[in-house]
Amino acid sequence: MHVTMYKTTCISRLLPNAATITCCLLNLMSFIAGLTFSWASPSIPYLNGSKDPHVNPLPEKITLAESSWLTAFIFIGAMIGNLITMVIVKKLGRKISLMIMLVPTMLGYLMFALAGDLIAFYFARIFNGLTLGAIMQVVPVYVAEIASKERRGALGCFFAIFLATGQVYVYAVGPSVSFENFQYINLVFPCSAFILIGLFVDESPFHFVDKGNMERAQAVLARLRPGADDKQLKDELQEISQCIAVKQEQLDYKQLFAQGALRKALIIAIALMVSIQVSIINPVVSYMETIFTESDTGISPQMSSVYVALLQLVVMLVIPHIVDLFGRKILLTIGQIFVTVSITALGAYFFLKGNDYDVSALAWLPLASILVFIVAFAVGVGSVTYVVIGEILPDNAKNVMSTISILINNIVAFVILFVFPLLEDGIGSAPTYWIFSGLCALTVLFLIVVLPETKGKSLIEIQELLGE
């Protein structure tokens, strides 16, 4: 089999560390996801008139309810994007599917820059969500499929690192330029990703094996594993074939709910996803600038947001080195405890401020609370959740369970992101934060009582633990 005869423009023919370069290019999509999550933070102040009514791109400033819709609509788009991607990825492969799903976010940013109409902005936000749904579903799997077993963990962490970098960009650049120029700059990233992935990224070898094209699969592996010999390549192809065979024997929904271990695994997966959302990470990321403006600490809201995003990026760089040093349960539990404490402290600050107490001596508390929150979230449910879900879901049920948990995650994310500012306006900031800190406390109890420790255990041992 003359694999070297397969022609390609893939960058893996030009550089020795092909898998790393490919993962970096794929994770331009993760950067776009970070941009999408945090877009509202610098954008909403332009649209609701709180920044400068004379620079609003809309004819009238938007209401609180309209800003809630605009912010939360990405998760409606994400749900649709998940479904579309599930259909096209099987037929077209990971690469082409991602390129197709980049088009909606390009249209979205063009609409933001040119439309000047709120309804158009709603659709633009849904278009951003379509791409977000595809990114969250495809990129982690794509990276796992092209990375070697030895480097899969490290390369898998690129997703969170690039996502955090996208948020740093938004908080630093968004408030510094006009609304329209911000959208044009944002447009550069999906266009660049479309070109770079199209020119320099190979399709996953899993897709070629699934389609029975073993020659192209081996050609891709040869470029991704430049030091591997024919035997090593064929061994890995055999492993890929076995993995695909298992995935093709997926359990249906009736079988899923008939087995106790599978039911418990699904409950844990859903609970962990819900824990992410009740930790109010999306409202904090989306309304970061507004939170710091309302806290009136005397520190620039823009710089406070940048500090938080930079700290998150640093934590994401450190996490790969600590996640295997401690147990999953310990990291999740301790992280969620500090998330609860930080949200409670932020609520206490707004309670004192709202009741006319002198909070000048506590001006540091909002920034400190959110910094602690970001670290605790990143170390806990923000990162370890996906490790645990990958360990507790068996291969023959992973597709079904992932679909259910992602769908519920997007529904809960939409509801919380939509309701959060309305709650703040209706009952006040302090009670709103305390409601969610109470929900976080319940997730701590769940983690302590229900979650098994999976560190150092085989997949079979984990299934036995879940069946007890």
Side-chain angles (χ1 to χ4, degrees), residues 342-361:
S342 59
I343 296 175
T344 303
L346 195 57
Y349 176 87
F350 281 112
F351 174 80
L352 294 173
K353 186 174 182 291
N355 286 277
D356 298 324
Y357 286 90
D358 182 8
V359 292
S360 57

Side-chain angles (χ1 to χ4, degrees), residues 43-53 56 61 289-290 293:
S43 300
I44 293 298
Y46 282 111
L47 303 178
N48 64 16
S50 63
K51 190 157 191 172
D52 184 351
N56 191 340
K61 64 181 183 180
E289 188 171 337
T290 301
T293 300

Side-chain angles (χ1 to χ4, degrees), residues 230-435:
D230 280 348
K231 182 180 183 305
Q232 290 171 319
L233 295 175
K234 289 177 181 177
D235 287 345
E236 186 166 353
L237 280 176
Q238 183 63 32
E239 291 178 8
I240 292 173
S241 299
Q242 292 171 352
C243 184
I244 290 174
V246 170
K247 288 182 179 180
Q248 290 173 342
E249 297 173 0
Q250 290 287 305
L251 300 178
D252 60 26
Y253 289 93
K254 290 182 179 179
Q255 293 172 309
L256 177 64
F257 292 106
Q259 300 181 31
L262 293 180
R263 284 199 305 271
K264 188 173 181 180
L266 180 59
I267 290 170
I268 291 173
I270 292 172
L272 289 173
M273 286 293 197
V274 171
S275 297
I276 291 176
Q277 302 308 329
V278 300
S279 299
I280 60 171
I281 184 63
N282 287 312
V284 168
V285 167
S286 298
Y287 297 109
M288 183 87 70
E289 188 171 337
T290 301
I291 291 170
F292 284 124
T293 300
E294 292 177 349
S295 63
D296 193 23
T297 62
I299 306 172
S300 162
Q302 179 183 357
M303 289 311 301
S304 297
S305 300
V306 172
Y307 294 150
V308 171
L310 284 173
L311 178 62
Q312 182 182 17
L313 177 57
V314 171
V315 173
M316 291 303 181
L317 290 169
V318 172
I319 282 175
H321 303 287
I322 67 170
V323 72
D324 284 326
L325 294 178
F326 304 96
R328 306 344 180 194
K329 185 169 184 171
I330 292 173
L331 287 174
L332 284 167
T333 304
I334 293 177
Q336 201 65 350
I337 287 172
F338 277 97
V339 164
T340 304
V341 170
S342 59
I343 296 175
T344 303
L346 195 57
Y349 176 87
F350 281 112
F351 174 80
L352 294 173
K353 186 174 182 291
N355 286 277
D356 298 324
Y357 286 90
D358 182 8
V359 292
S360 57
L362 296 173
W364 53 271
L365 186 57
L367 179 56
S369 296
I370 291 183
L371 289 174
V372 171
F373 167 82
I374 287 295
V375 172
F377 178 84
V379 171
V381 294
S383 58
V384 184
T385 287
Y386 303 102
V387 176
V388 173
I389 288 176
E391 291 173 334
I392 66 173
L393 300 187
D395 286 338
N396 64 344
K398 194 162 285 185
N399 287 348
V400 175
M401 287 181 162
S402 296
T403 300
I404 294 172
S405 58
I406 289 172
L407 178 62
I408 293 175
N409 175 68
N410 285 332
I411 292 171
V412 175
F414 170 79
V415 171
I416 290 177
L417 194 53
F418 177 74
V419 167
F420 186 85
L422 301 179
L423 276 176
E424 276 196 299
D425 184 61
I427 63 176
S429 295
T432 300
Y433 285 110
W434 288 339
I435 286 172

